[in-house]
Amino acid sequence: MLMVTGANGNLGGQVVSNLLRLVGPSGFVAGTRDPESPFARELSESGVDVRRTDFDDPASLEKAFEGVEAALIISTYAENSVRPRQNLNAIEGARRAGVRRLAYTSFAGANPQSLADQSYEVHYPTEQALIASGMDYTILRHALYADITVNDLDETLATGVLRRAGGSTPCAYIARDDLGVSAATVLAKSGHENRIYTETMAEPLTGAEIAALMSDVFGREIRYEAVSAEAWPQYMSEHWGIPLHLAKSSVGSMKAIEAGEFDISSPDYETITGRPPQTFEQFLRGVAAKRAKP
Ligand SMILES: NC(=O)c1ccc[n+]([C@@H]2O[C@H](COP(=O)([O-])OP(=O)(O)OC[C@H]3O[C@@H](n4cnc5c(N)ncnc54)[C@H](OP(=O)(O)O)[C@@H]3O)[C@@H](O)[C@H]2O)c1
């Protein structure tokens, strides 16, 4: 039996739909804090074993992971001061339940010297704990989601300006939908034991290059305009509705982009799935096609 946590999230939903395709509803457990959400109820009605799984409730986790052989822990979106404890709770709950292999959604270039707060405060310590747990591990180091470049697409298209921090240095991206495919694949197939994968598109891109692709795909002139790393949390909070206390931890990531920490590319996505990830242009064309639907 397989399991994915965070089933109600964006990435979680993508992993679920790929697990349905790969192993069917009886082949996996969907863990979520809210088994009563419309999506979780729909899964339950289609035969998926939906279990309450809350990393803030360590006592419940051994039961949540019961009978599971391989599980994916999707990192949460809490404050960095809370996330390592959540992840350690999940690792310990899985270990106690007898899970043999645990996969984890980490971040590209996770290391203790990174400028990105979540790398050294959350993802690297979690990777180390997972490796030391005695379970087999599969670490999925995700590049930045391409999806974050279209969070405020209406505004970008209306103003003709893509405002971002760190855009003068090339940065690795990948579409979140693709990460749902690869995460489900590492769970469902063998050969991914004790591996660390870095998942990126083939080409890292600057802000100006992304703006040029947007101009082409959406058929109107869009230019890139830099926002400083320090001003970025305020922008995210005002334009994307992300609470300022959460957005503040993005300053380090923006400085990490500027410093070239994500000026990388890796063949790992194709190694896992047997096909290349979407290019940025393909990703944008998919976004455009969805917008065009009535
Ligand atoms: N690489 C990148 O550029 C990038 C960008 C954004 C986010 N991320 C990371 O990737 C993760 C998934 O992204 P997303 O877009 O799918 O985010 P999202 O839709 O906001 O999902 C947040 C996820 O956190 C889970 N969660 C929250 N609190 C939890 C808890 N106490 N115990 C267990 N699970 C909990 C949620 O699961 P339930 O609601 O089902 O419980 C959900 O799966 C994020 O949480 C973040 O760590 C990476």
Side-chain angles (χ1 to χ4, degrees), residues 194-208:
N194 304 324
R195 301 290 304 270
I196 300 179
Y197 294 115
T198 295
E199 299 188 75
T200 72
M201 291 176 183
E203 302 283 345
L205 295 170
T206 63

Side-chain angles (χ1 to χ4, degrees), residues 2-292:
L2 309 177
M3 176 166 178
V4 56
T5 70
N8 275 319
N10 289 304
L11 177 63
Q14 290 298 326
V15 177
V16 163
S17 61
N18 283 286
L19 285 174
L20 284 169
R21 175 176 61 80
L22 289 168
V23 297
S26 59
F28 71 100
V29 173
T32 175
R33 289 165 302 167
D34 183 9
E36 297 303 322
S37 75
F39 180 61
R41 288 176 77 99
E42 196 184 305
L43 285 178
S44 192
E45 279 156 23
S46 71
V48 177
D49 183 357
V50 177
R51 299 185 190 169
R52 187 179 162 273
T53 308
D54 184 345
F55 301 164
D56 291 326
D57 182 6
S60 70
L61 290 171
E62 189 174 340
K63 189 154 179 50
F65 285 104
E66 200 173 72
V68 170
E69 281 160 30
L72 170 70
I73 294 176
I74 292 185
S75 55
T76 71
Y77 224 142
E79 285 174 56
N80 287 350
S81 58
V82 175
R83 295 165 82 197
R85 172 48 53 199
Q86 292 178 323
N87 291 339
L88 293 181
N89 289 344
I91 292 169
E92 184 57 12
R95 192 190 63 76
R96 282 172 181 265
V99 171
R100 289 216 292 271
R101 181 162 62 98
L102 205 54
Y104 172 69
T105 58
S106 184
F107 195 43
N111 78 81
Q113 278 81 43
S114 173
L115 293 174
D117 309 31
Q118 74 263 36
S119 279
Y120 64 82
E121 290 180 352
V122 182
H123 296 300
Y124 183 74
T126 301
E127 289 185 358
Q128 293 301 302
L130 180 50
I131 291 167
S133 71
M135 290 178 281
D136 284 334
Y137 61 85
T138 308
I139 291 167
L140 301 170
R141 288 182 172 170
H142 292 167
L144 278 85
Y145 293 170
D147 309 70
I148 60 183
T149 66
V150 294
N151 269 357
D152 48 0
L153 185 59
D154 287 342
E155 189 178 332
T156 304
L157 295 177
T159 59
V161 184
L162 174 67
R163 290 191 179 84
R164 288 293 181 274
S168 58
T169 309
C171 175
Y173 292 92
I174 189 156
R176 189 169 48 204
D177 286 7
D178 282 341
L179 295 171
V181 176
S182 53
T185 305
V186 300
L187 277 187
K189 313 262 183 204
S190 59
H192 302 294
E193 292 81 7
N194 304 324
R195 301 290 304 270
I196 300 179
Y197 294 115
T198 295
E199 299 188 75
T200 72
M201 291 176 183
E203 302 283 345
L205 295 170
T206 63
E209 287 166 335
I210 293 170
L213 287 171
M214 285 181 163
S215 302
D216 192 32
V217 169
F218 294 102
R220 65 195 78 174
E221 197 58 34
I222 294 168
R223 67 182 169 83
Y224 168 72
E225 189 176 285
V227 178
S228 72
E230 287 76 12
W232 184 244
Q234 192 69 33
Y235 184 93
M236 278 173 96
S237 174
E238 282 171 13
H239 295 255
W240 301 0
I242 296 188
L244 193 55
H245 69 280
L246 290 179
K248 274 185 176 156
S249 69
S250 66
V251 174
S253 297
M254 297 306 119
K255 290 188 172 167
I257 299 175
E258 281 168 5
E261 283 191 31
F262 307 110
D263 187 1
I264 55 171
S265 80
S266 161
D268 289 352
Y269 181 87
E270 189 164 355
T271 303
I272 297 169
T273 64
R275 62 168 219 216
Q278 295 170 72
T279 64
F280 213 102
E281 182 179 345
Q282 287 167 334
F283 162 74
L284 289 175
R285 293 207 182 279
V287 172
K290 275 186 206 140
R291 281 171 70 87

